[in-house]
Amino acid sequence: FSLSVEFNFNPSLVRIEPLAPRELYASLYRSYDHDTVAVVRLYNKSDKPVAAAVRLFVPRAMDGPAAPQAVELRPRSYSEVALSGSFSPKLLDVAGDGYMPADVSVQYESGRLPRTERRRDRIYFYAPGAVDWEKGVAQAAAYVTHKDPAVEALASQVGRLVDRIRTRPELRRSLFLNLSPNVAYAAGLTAALGELGLAYVPDPKNPYSTMSTQDHGVDGIKYPYQTLAARSGDCDDSSVLMAALLANLGVPSSFLDAPGHLFLLVATGIPE
């Protein structure tokens, strides 16, 4: 005959349900700092409210757990918590699309003692260069790397040449050079890319004209240094490259989604 008695002074009060994550894009990692990347349902098993702190951590994509989100869980009820995440630039080194393990932790007090519940789930990430045009062309701004060394090298050469021409009356042969510095830089960069032999080549597998009209149309964009190295690109690659070169010279621009193409609007600096 034996008798066993167990006392639990720190019982579990919260159950973590499976994570409901969004599909995330590595190249857009900075946009998720203040945006919902996943929703988790928590069940309060007790008869009293529970004050809890919820964290999300994706080891391969974060330098550390996200900031805790304070929530109050109602008694014997489910609560949904929207989770954001501060992701690391190391996401840009990920090769290929796929799932990454994601950890959710809930910290609270049980029996006046701290307790932490944990659950491991997963989140799907698209590799660098992927974008979903259904969410708008503003995402292309993530690829405008105006401080990239390859962009800096070309833009600085063109900028110096244009400035030299604009300050020497005997070299002014174009109306564009006389209108404004912005227009002169745009003309100079266009000429430079032509001299480099940059060619417009539509994507044979996922042309912008098709992907931009599809639901969940996941497409690929080259970074400016990749377009310069390949000496070719489609409309989104070329527009991103030109936007980065202009930005390096201090010229603002905007993307314009026209039927079948992505164009670039350049601020001329000329009053109406």
Side-chain angles (χ1 to χ4, degrees), residues 91-234:
L91 257 179
L92 298 178
D93 297 326
V94 173
D97 308 334
Y99 285 99
M100 291 188 187
D103 299 324
V104 178
S105 64
V106 182
Q107 189 173 24
Y108 58 94
E109 281 193 1
S110 173
R112 297 186 180 181
L113 295 173
R115 182 182 176 96
T116 302
E117 310 291 348
R118 292 182 173 85
R119 182 186 181 98
R120 169 151 284 195
D121 221 306
R122 59 183 190 169
I123 297 178
Y124 193 86
F125 282 85
Y126 286 96
V131 67
D132 182 1
W133 291 123
E134 184 186 12
K135 304 183 189 314
V137 298
Q139 300 168 95
Y143 296 85
V144 182
T145 52
H146 65 285
K147 293 183 179 180
D148 184 280
V151 172
E152 174 76 34
L154 179 57
S156 61
Q157 290 184 54
V158 173
R160 286 194 299 270
L161 179 59
V162 170
D163 289 340
R164 188 175 54 140
I165 292 175
R166 294 187 74 248
T167 57
R168 297 177 61 181
E170 69 275 14
L171 296 179
R172 294 180 186 171
R173 295 188 295 271
S174 170
L175 174 63
F176 286 108
L177 297 179
N178 297 315
L179 285 175
S180 76
N182 288 11
V183 176
Y185 289 144
L189 289 169
T190 302
L193 292 177
E195 289 294 322
L196 289 173
L198 189 79
Y200 169 72
V201 179
D203 190 328
K205 295 182 179 179
N206 298 317
Y208 180 84
S209 57
T210 300
M211 302 307 297
S212 60
T213 60
Q214 291 185 355
D215 295 336
H216 196 50
V218 178
D219 191 13
I221 303 182
K222 293 191 185 83
Y223 281 94
Y225 78 91
Q226 294 172 319
T227 304
L228 286 172
R231 294 292 197 271
S232 66
D234 61 6

Side-chain angles (χ1 to χ4, degrees), residues 43-102:
Y43 183 70
N44 180 359
K45 298 183 286 186
S46 74
D47 296 321
K48 297 180 180 179
V50 172
V54 188
R55 292 177 183 263
L56 173 68
F57 182 42
V58 185
R60 290 178 56 197
M62 294 179 173
D63 293 326
Q69 296 179 234
V71 295
E72 175 132 339
L73 306 178
R74 296 187 301 273
R76 300 288 177 183
S77 300
Y78 285 99
S79 298
E80 290 191 347
V81 182
L83 302 174
S84 59
S86 182
F87 294 99
S88 166
K90 64 185 179 183
L91 257 179
L92 298 178
D93 297 326
V94 173
D97 308 334
Y99 285 99
M100 291 188 187

